[in-house]
């Protein structure tokens, strides 16, 4: 968990100091879950969570020496989008493991 992009972006990596962006993502996620999928604020809360998560990904990728991620992040183009942003790092090596597919 400590090195997982998903958990770091949600400020859930034990023993690690979370970025302000990750803390914002955690808060947005909790608000979204507490509200539920129905109701007047559901769409707005989901958008807020997705925006916070995208920013947390950008920050984590800028700071990372090594990234562990799932195929879901790649399939939904989340990592590609974060890497296309200005100031994004360049990866020198990529290892793909599709064993779980």
């Amino acid at each position: 968990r400590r090195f997982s992009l998903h958990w770091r972006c949600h400020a859930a990596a034990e023993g690690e100091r979370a970025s302000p962006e990750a803390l914002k993502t955690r808060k947005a996620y909790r608000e979204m879950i507490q509200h539920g999928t129905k109701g007047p604020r559901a769409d707005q809360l989901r958008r807020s969570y997705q925006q916070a998560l995208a920013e947390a990904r950008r920050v984590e990728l800028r700071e990372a020496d090594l990234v562990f991620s799932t195929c879901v992040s790649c399939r939904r183009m989340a990592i590609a989008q974060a890497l296309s942003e200005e100031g994004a790092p360049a990866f020198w090596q990529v290892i793909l493991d599709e064993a779980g597919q």
Side-chain angles (χ1 to χ4, degrees):
R1 233 182 192 200
R2 182 175 168 208
F3 299 108
S4 168
L5 181 63
H6 175 82
W7 295 113
R8 294 183 68 82
C9 289
H10 286 81
E14 296 172 19
E16 295 292 315
R17 195 172 121 232
S19 69
E21 293 81 4
L23 292 170
K24 184 176 178 182
T25 300
R26 180 172 64 186
K27 181 178 182 239
Y29 181 76
R30 286 181 179 167
E31 288 175 359
M32 181 182 70
I33 294 300
Q34 286 175 352
H35 184 274
T37 59
K38 307 235 185 282
R41 297 179 52 227
D43 289 339
Q44 183 265 328
L45 289 170
R46 186 167 194 264
R47 276 191 304 275
S48 294
Y49 164 68
Q50 290 172 333
Q51 289 171 347
L53 180 56
E55 182 58 29
R57 270 194 204 104
R58 285 191 285 274
V59 168
E60 289 297 330
L61 287 172
R62 275 187 235 122
E63 299 295 321
D65 294 320
L66 179 66
V67 176
F68 289 111
S69 186
T70 63
C71 61
V72 173
S73 293
C74 295
R75 188 181 74 234
R76 292 184 182 160
M77 299 300 293
I79 290 179
Q81 181 182 4
L83 291 174
S84 69
E85 301 284 332
E86 187 175 329
F91 288 144
W92 298 104
Q93 183 178 20
V94 176
I95 299 170
L96 297 174
D97 177 6
E98 292 298 321
Q101 291 298 311

